[in-house]
Amino acid sequence: MTSHATQARWPALLPAGAKLGVWAPSCPGPVLFPRRFERGLTALRERGHTVVTGESCRAAEGAGTLRPEALAEELHTMLEEVDGVIAAVGGWTMTPVLPHLDFDHIGRIGKPLIGYSDMTSLVNLVPRRSGLVAFHGPMVISEWGEFDGPWELTAAEFDQVLGREHTWTHRAIGAAAQWSDENLFWDREDVRRRQGNSGDQQTRTLRPGEAAGPLWGGSLIVLGLLLGTDLWPEPEPGSIVFLEADGMPPDELWARLEQFRPAGVFDRAGGVIMGKVGNPQGTPSGYTGYGDVLRASVPEPLPVAAGFDIGHADPMCTLPVGGRTRLDCPQEGTPQLHLLRSPQDLPPHGPWPGDPRVAHCC
């Protein structure tokens, strides 16, 4: 097993009754799908959280919500006033916001940032530029806004990873007995619980081995948008790389994985895991060998596993990007991803030094 000490620090965890800010940098989902958005807010409130929405949740300007500069400023201000910020939904317009963000400010504030899909870029840049763990996790419309509430595993993993009352130093992420990738058009068809898939795409080892290192990854598509730019969040050496995709046939998966190879992602990886592929498709020839493509693209001897609940299919686990992890891929049996925290990773109950809400004298 290889282990690397490089890691980001954990932000202040969420207290009971946390005040959560909702930010919409990726698309005007709250305006387009108000019923589902309100369901998501209600689900968070029913768990005891106070929820405040930014102006971006009430805007639909041009291709997105607010101007990129305004979105960046909204995030900076919101972080000062809440216990954590969660994205409203995914989309396509996070990338123009990134150059306007003050990552030093985000690091000084030390609050959790939560999202995935289009937010993949931000939750990987925050550990690299702010020195702070960020969270690849459920968003308001897409997960919390489910017809009859979020999936049980989604809510439980969110609480376990982000809740202040959970002071674990080592735990394996959860696994779902049933999951769903059924698409019900928001605010039109989502008037029932989505049908589940059981027994398909089980968590499995594709190449055995063990590795330990900081967590890096998310949406293959979004990460690919940053390649070749000065925004590319290069993984730390020895990183456990996690990848997820939705509606992507094996030939496209192959192309995107091969894009990562010359970029050095796998040279810097200690191991690789893939989430369940939502809405899988065959190639024009009918080929559906996702596991074979992944195993062939990731160079030996890196351990490889697939079928984790970490992507666009529900339920989904919350992952601490930049945090320490260990991947165990046994030859026989179920692979596991372990989240690791040392006592010093656990922050004090109060705000981090530098939080604008802290009064300083003299």
Side-chain angles (χ1 to χ4, degrees):
M1 176 188 293
T2 58
S3 180
H4 299 272
T6 303
Q7 67 193 77
R9 82 176 194 272
W10 279 67
L13 298 175
L14 298 177
K19 185 177 183 180
L20 294 176
V22 183
W23 185 48
S26 296
C27 91
V31 175
L32 298 173
F33 310 107
R35 185 182 68 191
R36 186 162 177 122
F37 182 56
E38 186 57 39
R39 280 206 311 243
L41 299 179
T42 298
L44 288 166
R45 292 183 183 118
E46 288 177 346
R47 300 185 72 79
H49 299 301
T50 299
V51 184
V52 296
T53 58
E55 183 60 32
S56 59
C57 295
R58 295 176 285 278
E61 300 179 7
T65 56
L66 302 175
R67 293 177 296 105
E69 300 90 338
L71 286 166
E73 185 57 34
E74 181 175 78
L75 178 61
H76 298 153
T77 301
M78 187 176 283
L79 283 169
E80 297 173 0
E81 299 172 349
V82 300
D83 296 305
V85 172
I86 184 170
V89 70
W92 287 104
T93 56
M94 181 73 244
T95 305
V97 181
L98 299 175
H100 302 283
L101 292 174
D102 184 340
F103 287 97
D104 289 338
H105 180 75
I106 292 170
R108 286 193 301 270
I109 296 294
K111 308 283 184 60
L113 275 166
I114 307 141
Y116 74 107
S117 193
D118 195 33
M119 285 281 288
T120 294
S121 54
L122 181 59
V123 299
N124 281 275
L125 276 166
V126 166
R128 291 291 288 171
R129 299 197 178 186
S130 302
L132 193 72
V133 168
F135 299 91
H136 184 274
M139 300 184 290
V140 176
I141 293 177
S142 43
E143 281 73 40
W144 294 103
E146 280 284 271
F147 170 70
D148 54 356
W151 287 61
E152 183 178 347
L153 182 69
T154 299
E157 288 291 305
F158 181 89
D159 290 341
Q160 280 285 332
V161 174
L162 282 159
R164 182 174 291 175
E165 66 272 25
H166 301 293
T167 57
W168 51 265
T169 55
H170 167 233
R171 67 181 298 272
I173 66 169
Q178 188 177 66
W179 64 284
S180 179
D181 59 356
E182 182 183 19
N183 284 326
L184 297 176
F185 196 90
W186 291 342
D187 279 13
R188 183 187 303 169
E189 300 173 341
D190 60 338
V191 294
R192 61 168 174 82
R193 185 168 180 82
R194 292 184 298 152
Q195 295 178 358
N197 308 321
S198 58
D200 186 27
Q201 294 195 46
Q202 293 180 336
T203 310
R204 59 204 183 277
T205 293
L206 299 179
R207 184 184 299 138
E210 298 179 340
L215 197 60
W216 182 95
S219 167
L220 268 165
I221 293 175
V222 174
L223 287 167
L225 296 175
L226 302 183
L227 269 173
T229 75
D230 60 4
L231 294 169
W232 172 242
E234 185 174 62
E236 295 283 356
S239 290
I240 304 302
V241 173
F242 71 99
L243 303 170
E244 61 96 7
D246 180 63
M248 183 181 292
D251 51 354
E252 182 182 350
L253 174 64
W254 189 13
R256 294 188 182 278
L257 290 171
E258 290 301 320
Q259 182 188 31
F260 275 19
R261 185 192 293 273
V265 169
F266 300 133
D267 292 337
R268 302 177 72 83
V272 177
I273 68 173
M274 186 85 188
K276 289 181 171 69
V277 180
N279 300 289
Q281 305 175 31
T283 65
S285 66
Y287 179 75
T288 58
Y290 288 95
D292 292 339
V293 167
L294 184 62
R295 187 167 40 235
S297 296
V298 177
E300 295 185 3
L302 296 182
V304 183
F308 286 84
D309 298 296
I310 57 173
H312 280 72
D314 283 310
M316 72 174 299
C317 295
T318 298
L319 298 180
V321 180
R324 295 183 304 128
T325 55
R326 190 181 80 238
L327 175 63
D328 294 336
C329 295
Q331 183 75 52
E332 302 290 339
T334 303
Q336 287 192 318
L337 179 68
H338 303 263
L339 310 184
L340 308 174
R341 294 191 302 208
S342 60
Q344 56 265 35
D345 290 330
L346 297 171
H349 288 344
W352 282 99
D355 188 324
R357 296 181 300 173
V358 177
H360 296 278
C361 65
C362 306

